[in-house]
Amino acid sequence: MTREYQAYFDVIEQRLKVIIPEESFDFMPDQRPLLLSKAMNYSLLAGGKRIRPVMLLAAYNLLKEDLERAIPFAVALEMIHTYSLIHDDLPAMDNDDYRRGKLTNHKVFGEANGILAGDGLLNLAYEQLLMACGAMPSPFCGMKAAEIIAFRAGGQGMIGGQVADMMQEGCEGDEKILQYIQRHKTAALFMASMEAGICLGDANEEQKGAAKEFGYHYGMAFQMIDDWLDVVGDATLLGKSIGKDAKQQKLTWPSLIGIENTKLRAEEHVQLAIEQMKGFGTKGKFFIDLAQSTLKRVQ
Ligand code: GRG
């Protein structure tokens, strides 16, 4: 973790730790039951890398210095990501026992509470976004950033990618289908990080386009490396089970083009991501290092 990444990471952690207080509010009006707060915090505070919110803050910092304005958007994005992991791990989806090095949410709290903890995080994310927009002197850019996050997380984004991924299990796929799945299931939230962050920084159209493309190429490389690690990674180091893609007959890059070509393709996406940072001068270095670091996981 670079010093800059650590600084963004700390800001996110501090905010996430206090957002869902674990007090005994059972049966008090307008309060969450303690069980729900615990289930939401269990996954939210389970030690994620916080890449998406870090990217959102760093994208904002490409253009603006203060961070405060962007923090609620970053926090909301991490909540959406965490809800998607909780739901993805459910028996009806990927049926996983471990996530972030711990038992999955439904393994600890039961399936129904797992679903509801995910729902709770998703709703809290939108509450945060709306509150942040409401507090802005001129909310237009906040509303645009919130719209981007909603779009990329929704049916034309992450949820669509997840549905396509499940539709494809056990079927013979091709590159077009796999591109669709990974652009939406994985890259969409990275695109949201970059687009929302830069939008909050009052970017021009060219800057918005470059940030979006960075998110896309970074996300594609990220998922390719994830697929690669699912074949040859170490479950203890990754904090999750491996070999699941093959067992579930998932359409992945290693299954379609082979393990070596997957790595080469990831390298191409990293290169394309880095090129997007040309217009940002020395400020783009954070993202260049970030893109290069994805490949270090397979070296
Ligand atoms: C349930 C709507 C819905 C969507 C699920 C996120 C997702 C879509 C599925 C999770 C499984 C998966 C392989 C997703 C691809 C993205 C990915 C590798 C997520 C893990 O992200 P990291 O590595 O995790 O950033 P941490 O724990 O560090 O946050």
Side-chain angles (χ1 to χ4, degrees):
M1 210 184 265
T2 63
R3 208 179 317 148
E4 215 178 340
Y5 191 105
Q6 182 75 53
Y8 290 126
F9 180 93
D10 290 346
V11 168
I12 305 293
E13 286 300 307
Q14 269 173 21
R15 207 54 78 92
L16 288 176
K17 265 186 211 146
V18 294
I19 213 150
I20 306 169
E22 287 191 22
E23 287 162 42
S24 183
F25 285 138
D26 286 352
F27 311 113
M28 281 175 66
D30 306 329
Q31 300 293 347
R32 264 182 299 270
L34 180 60
L35 174 66
L36 179 59
S37 299
K38 281 187 185 295
M40 288 163 75
N41 272 338
Y42 177 80
S43 295
L44 190 62
L45 306 179
K49 296 182 286 299
R50 316 302 192 202
I51 307 175
R52 296 152 191 83
V54 164
M55 281 170 73
L56 192 151
L57 295 182
Y60 177 75
N61 265 176
L62 285 171
L63 303 176
K64 293 272 196 297
E65 293 301 323
D66 69 295
L67 270 189
E68 200 49 44
R69 187 183 195 188
I71 294 172
F73 293 82
V75 162
L77 195 57
E78 183 65 14
M79 286 182 187
I80 293 173
H81 167 60
T82 305
Y83 116 78
S84 82
L85 298 180
I86 298 175
H87 282 191
D88 184 68
D89 291 334
L90 288 167
M93 293 206 210
D94 255 16
N95 193 18
D96 252 304
D97 292 350
Y98 290 94
R99 168 73 65 184
R100 291 177 165 171
K102 293 169 71 176
L103 281 173
T104 44
N105 198 293
H106 67 272
K107 283 273 157 195
V108 177
F109 295 94
E111 219 174 306
N113 285 322
I115 294 170
L116 294 164
D119 294 341
L121 286 168
L122 179 60
N123 280 279
L124 187 57
Y126 288 106
E127 191 183 322
Q128 292 294 310
L129 291 175
L130 289 165
M131 269 165 41
C133 292
M136 282 178 176
S138 127
F140 175 77
C141 145
M143 283 164 67
K144 190 70 210 160
E147 181 194 328
I148 290 166
I149 292 174
F151 178 79
R152 295 282 179 218
Q156 290 148 287
M158 179 180 70
I159 294 177
Q162 178 77 349
V163 169
D165 186 42
M166 292 187 309
M167 279 165 64
Q168 206 49 40
E169 272 173 30
C171 303
E172 206 176 302
D174 58 27
E175 285 210 16
K176 187 174 163 235
I177 296 171
L178 187 53
Q179 289 275 2
Y180 177 92
I181 291 173
Q182 300 202 342
R183 176 190 171 94
H184 296 85
K185 185 177 93 167
T186 307
L189 284 200
F190 292 113
M191 292 162 86
S193 302
M194 297 302 293
E195 291 175 285
I198 204 100
C199 172
L200 288 165
D202 297 322
N204 62 34
E205 290 309 310
E206 198 183 329
Q207 292 164 330
K208 284 181 192 166
K212 174 181 146 190
E213 287 302 306
F214 179 93
Y216 168 70
H217 290 295
Y218 176 86
M220 294 302 284
F222 184 93
Q223 184 59 61
M224 284 170 185
I225 302 298
D226 206 65
D227 284 359
W228 191 93
L229 288 169
D230 190 67
V231 180
V232 290
D234 179 319
T236 316
L237 291 178
L238 292 170
K240 61 175 189 175
S241 338
I242 64 156
K244 288 212 69 186
D245 292 340
K247 240 181 262 162
Q248 292 178 330
Q249 297 183 289
K250 288 259 187 201
L251 179 60
T252 63
W253 291 105
S255 72
L256 198 64
I257 61 173
I259 193 86
E260 272 312 306
N261 284 334
T262 300
K263 206 164 142 188
L264 292 175
R265 197 69 78 85
E267 283 166 4
E268 282 169 23
H269 279 291
V270 165
Q271 215 36 54
L272 290 166
I274 289 171
E275 279 170 28
Q276 309 304 320
M277 286 295 131
K278 272 187 200 145
F280 295 104
T282 51
K283 292 209 161 190
K285 187 175 178 312
F286 174 83
F287 286 104
I288 295 173
D289 293 345
L290 185 72
Q292 281 165 342
S293 73
T294 56
L295 297 175
K296 293 205 183 100
R297 298 175 77 198
V298 294
Q299 277 157 2

